[in-house]
């Protein structure tokens, strides 16, 4: 059982200055599963997601207490908040896709090759394979294969988002953190990304923040409901959406919140 | 459709179901009484009312499917709509089975058969009680009553076993009323089915309330 958990979060508190944004989170995330974070705006979903690869370190005034243990990622096992953790290795293995696409102002090809290059892949033919493979996995190969030199900034928002997913996949992470990755996408690209999640599960572990309840039920194995910095319900997606135990969770998912 | 409107729609479906339950309740009562009293007129009435329930059933199904499509409900809403779709079809079956019994009552009447199976009367009264209880348990989401219906179905099954033995005896012994045994068997089978459908309504009521059948 414990072996199944790739990430274990214990008693995690996070403060932005004096504001406590996470109030004692305890949860385990299972390997090769999709876990959804749901809950109203401002309840701490993105904040917790950013803790998992220490993105919050970049925010001034942000203080984290508690532990996040990694289990079964070579070279990373242990508490990621320990002093001598290699942050670059952490972010290579635990990739992130943000809500707003943040492509680099360079060509599509260079966007995808960026990560592998910084991790030492130099051979053009190797990079070609990685770029093609990553773009295909993210469902944007057909649209871009003839224009790989084109600037990524000139693409549409939905296309840029899929470039970001391809870029995250290019370094072959073990865990993919996605913060509302499809909120700007049309139904077809959304379906592509959702299908991608299903396929990626075999090799990766995915944590996704979504405001789309149907998306959570379609793609995730487990669902966590957040409210005001706490997780009030966490279980299999089937259980949470069929027979939620927490009344606030039930009110939220059935649209009776507030 | 906004959520508040959605709640109104769910309440409407619930109201229609309870209304249909009321009709089904009176259908099964009239059916059993027409059987026990060999009342041809009453049995004809039951057959005719059956056509009214058909429209009610279709209306409820349509509303439930539309709510499912438009709102993609989850949690208690999802359990309620699933339950509504199941319960409406169980109620529909009960009313069809009651009509089938009434057709047999007409046949018996035509053939001038005497009604002489006391056990069928007992089964009929038991069926009335089960239908009433399961509809009441659904209307009030009363789990205790739903549990009672499940036990009542075991009793119904035993009645039917006993009826079979009695009718087999009649045929074996070539009793004077052996010809009617086949008809009484069929009526017994329909009553037993009505018990099964009542139990199903009770099970879905439990699911609606707690997620467990
Ligand atoms: N960089 C920051 N500095 C200060 N406060 C922040 C910062 N980021 C988030 N917060 C606060 O922390 C709380 C949680 O924010 P977070 O972004 O994690 O919410 P969320 O659940 O992701 O919401 P949404 O669904 O709107 O994305 C909010 O009250 C927010 O205002
Ligand atoms: Mg967020």
């Amino acid at each position: 059982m414990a072996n199944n958990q790739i990430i274990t979060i214990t008693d995690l508190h996070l403060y932005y200055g004096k504001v406590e944004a996470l109030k004692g989170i305890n949860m385990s995330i299972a390997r090769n599963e999709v876990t959804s974070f749901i809950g109203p705006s401002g309840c701490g979903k993105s904040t917790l997601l950013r803790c998992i690869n220490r993105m919050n370190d970049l925010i001034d005034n942000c203080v984290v207490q508690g532990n996040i243990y990694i289990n079964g990622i070579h070279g990373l096992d242990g508490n990621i908040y320990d002093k001598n953790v290699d942050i670059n290795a952490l972010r290579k293995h635990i990739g992130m896709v943000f809500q707003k696409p943040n492509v680099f102002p360079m060509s599509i090809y260079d966007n995808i090759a960026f990560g592998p290059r910084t991790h030492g892949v130099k051979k053009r033919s190797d990079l070609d394979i990685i770029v093609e493979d990553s773009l295909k996995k993210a469902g944007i190969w057909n649209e871009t294969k003839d224009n790989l030199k084109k600037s990524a900034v000139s693409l549409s928002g939905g296309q840029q988002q899929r470039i970001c997913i391809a870029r995250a996949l290019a370094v072959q992470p073990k865990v993919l953190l996605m913060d509302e990755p499809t909120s700007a996408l049309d139904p077809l690209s959304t379906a592509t990304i959702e299908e991608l999640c299903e396929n990626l599960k075999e090799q990766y572990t995915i944590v996704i923040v979504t405001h789309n309840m149907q998306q959570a039920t379609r793609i995730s194995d487990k669902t966590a409901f957040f409210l005001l910095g706490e997780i009030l319900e966490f279980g299999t997606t089937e259980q949470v959406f069929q027979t939620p135990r927490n009344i606030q969770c039930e009110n939220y998912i059935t649209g009776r919140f507030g | 459709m906004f959520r508040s409107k959605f709640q109104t729609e769910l309440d409407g479906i619930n109201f229609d179901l309870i209304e249909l339950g009321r009709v089904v309740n009176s259908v099964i009562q009239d059916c059993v009484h027409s059987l026990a009293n060999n009342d041809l007129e009453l049995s004809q009435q039951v057959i005719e009312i059956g056509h009214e329930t058909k429209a009610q059933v279709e209306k409820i199904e349509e509303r439930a499917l539309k709510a499912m499509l438009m709102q993609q409900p989850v949690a208690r809403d999802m359990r309620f709509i699933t339950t509504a779709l199941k319960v409406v079809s169980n109620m529909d079956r009960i009313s069809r089975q009651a009509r089938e019994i009434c057709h047999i009552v007409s046949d018996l009447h035509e053939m001038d058969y005497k009604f002489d199976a006391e056990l069928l009367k007992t089964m009929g009264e038991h069926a009335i009680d089960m239908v009433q209880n399961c509809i009441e348990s659904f209307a009030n989401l009363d789990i205790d009553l739903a549990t009672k219906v499940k036990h009542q179905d075991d009793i119904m099954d035993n009645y039917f076993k006993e009826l079979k033995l009695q009718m087999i005896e009649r045929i074996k012994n070539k009793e004077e009323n052996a010809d009617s045994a086949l008809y009484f068997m069929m009526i017994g089978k329909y009553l037993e089915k009505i018990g099964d459908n009542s139990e199903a309504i009770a099970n879905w009521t439990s699911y609606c309330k707690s997620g467990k059948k």
Side-chain angles (χ1 to χ4, degrees):
Chain A
M1 179 66 193
N3 234 2
N4 233 343
Q5 314 298 341
I6 191 167
I7 297 164
T8 301
I9 303 170
T10 60
D11 200 27
L12 193 85
H13 295 256
L14 183 144
Y15 302 84
Y16 292 116
K18 289 205 175 84
V19 180
E20 188 176 15
L22 295 176
K23 302 171 185 170
I25 301 290
N26 291 286
M27 82 180 312
S28 288
I29 290 167
R31 190 188 316 281
N32 300 114
E33 284 193 351
V34 178
T35 300
S36 287
F37 289 179
I38 62 167
S41 193
C43 63
K45 305 178 297 293
S46 300
T47 298
L48 182 61
L49 202 68
R50 282 198 300 267
C51 286
I52 299 174
N53 69 352
R54 290 187 56 171
M55 280 292 184
N56 287 320
D57 292 10
L58 309 172
I59 297 172
D60 285 344
N61 271 334
C62 174
V63 177
V64 180
Q65 292 167 0
N67 306 307
I68 298 183
Y69 297 98
I70 301 292
N71 169 32
I73 300 182
H74 184 69
L76 263 191
D77 281 8
N79 183 5
I80 64 166
Y81 279 97
D82 276 352
K83 272 201 189 80
N84 46 8
V85 165
D86 177 352
I87 301 286
N88 283 330
L90 174 69
R91 299 211 180 118
K92 175 189 181 298
H93 288 301
I94 305 184
M96 185 136 184
V97 175
F98 299 88
Q99 181 171 2
K100 289 195 197 103
N102 59 339
V103 295
F104 302 143
M106 49 177 84
S107 75
I108 295 169
Y109 187 97
D110 288 339
N111 259 276
I112 313 301
F114 187 87
R117 274 182 181 136
T118 47
H119 291 102
V121 183
K122 292 276 180 295
K123 243 171 91 183
R124 179 78 193 192
S125 58
D126 289 345
L127 286 171
D128 285 352
I129 291 171
I130 293 173
V131 169
E132 177 171 344
D133 188 51
S134 306
L135 289 169
K136 274 183 177 162
K137 277 185 177 164
I140 193 169
W141 172 246
N142 284 337
E143 286 152 81
T144 55
K145 62 172 186 245
D146 300 323
N147 297 300
L148 292 175
K149 292 218 173 72
K150 192 170 150 180
S151 166
V153 183
S154 67
L155 296 170
S156 77
Q159 289 172 324
Q160 287 188 27
Q161 187 60 306
R162 281 175 287 151
I163 294 293
C164 292
I165 292 174
R167 193 178 61 198
L169 294 175
V171 294
Q172 297 183 313
K174 290 282 185 284
V175 179
L176 200 57
L177 309 172
M178 302 206 269
D179 198 346
E180 300 182 51
T182 62
S183 60
L185 302 194
D186 67 279
L188 208 62
S189 327
T190 299
T192 314
I193 303 296
E194 289 182 0
E195 218 168 296
L196 170 70
C197 287
E198 183 64 30
N199 298 336
L200 292 179
K201 235 166 57 170
E202 287 172 19
Q203 298 165 50
Y204 309 80
T205 300
I206 296 172
V207 185
I208 182 170
V209 175
T210 178
H211 279 292
N212 181 333
M213 297 301 108
Q214 267 65 47
Q215 178 165 73
T217 59
R218 279 194 297 266
I219 67 173
S220 60
D221 302 289
K222 304 270 168 61
T223 296
F225 169 71
F226 287 65
L227 190 65
L228 297 170
E230 291 179 277
I231 293 180
L232 296 189
E233 176 120 19
F234 180 43
T236 66
T237 298
E238 199 179 330
Q239 179 260 311
V240 172
F241 281 93
Q242 189 167 197
T243 50
R245 297 186 187 99
N246 181 276
I247 184 70
Q248 282 153 311
C249 176
E250 174 145 58
N251 286 342
Y252 178 74
I253 62 179
T254 58
R256 292 179 177 85
F257 204 73
Chain B
M1 218 193 295
F2 296 112
R3 282 286 151 160
S4 55
K5 233 176 121 190
F6 179 51
Q7 184 59 56
T8 312
E9 182 60 15
L10 294 181
D11 293 343
I13 293 170
N14 194 40
F15 182 86
D16 283 357
L17 267 172
I18 291 169
E19 180 58 23
L20 175 63
R22 203 186 52 75
V23 176
V24 169
N25 215 347
S26 84
V27 162
I28 180 73
Q29 281 181 18
D30 290 348
C31 160
V32 169
H33 294 147
S34 82
L35 170 71
N37 306 322
N38 202 8
D39 186 337
L40 186 64
E41 211 174 306
L42 194 56
S43 68
Q44 293 299 337
Q45 269 180 34
V46 170
I47 291 167
E48 273 156 36
I49 282 187
H51 296 290
E52 283 174 40
T53 60
K54 188 166 174 267
Q56 278 177 291
V57 166
E58 282 169 3
K59 183 179 158 212
I60 293 169
E61 281 173 346
E62 205 173 296
R63 284 181 87 166
L65 286 172
K66 190 172 166 201
M68 197 100 127
L69 173 75
M70 307 294 270
Q71 293 285 340
Q72 307 188 4
V74 295
R76 61 172 181 257
D77 299 337
M78 190 273 274
R79 298 201 305 272
F80 173 75
I81 293 194
T82 313
T83 301
L85 279 167
K86 292 290 186 180
V87 164
V88 75
S89 93
N90 290 126
M91 285 184 183
D92 186 32
R93 283 192 203 136
I94 291 174
S95 127
R96 281 165 199 263
Q97 282 147 356
R99 268 180 284 155
E100 292 297 341
I101 291 173
C102 288
H103 281 297
I104 300 175
V105 170
S106 306
D107 291 349
L108 287 170
H109 195 86
E110 241 166 61
M111 289 178 290
D112 229 2
Y113 281 136
K114 204 158 84 286
F115 181 78
D116 59 354
E118 279 307 309
L119 184 53
L120 266 188
K121 280 193 197 173
T122 312
M123 285 176 78
E125 291 301 326
H126 194 64
I128 290 178
D129 204 34
M130 283 184 79
V131 170
Q132 195 157 6
N133 284 341
C134 77
I135 287 168
E136 204 177 307
S137 81
F138 171 76
N140 304 322
L141 289 182
D142 182 338
I143 300 299
D144 292 339
L145 198 52
T147 309
K148 185 179 170 191
V149 174
K150 293 176 204 176
H151 294 312
Q152 283 186 305
D153 191 51
D154 296 337
I155 297 171
M156 183 64 106
D157 290 346
N158 286 333
Y159 282 149
F160 184 56
K161 273 183 206 143
E162 176 59 29
L163 181 80
K164 266 194 281 196
L165 294 178
Q166 285 184 11
M167 293 302 128
I168 288 170
E169 278 308 299
R170 279 193 192 180
I171 295 169
K172 257 194 198 157
N173 301 339
K174 300 203 163 90
E175 284 171 27
E176 173 193 0
N177 54 7
D179 291 355
S180 55
L182 205 62
Y183 293 90
F184 294 156
M185 267 298 294
M186 287 200 283
I187 292 173
K189 185 73 197 167
Y190 283 124
L191 289 172
E192 189 247 341
K193 286 277 161 210
I194 287 170
D196 288 346
N197 280 303
S198 304
E199 191 197 9
I201 290 174
N203 284 335
W204 283 106
T205 297
S206 306
Y207 170 78
C208 186
K209 177 100 183 242
S210 68
K212 290 189 282 282
K213 277 213 243 170

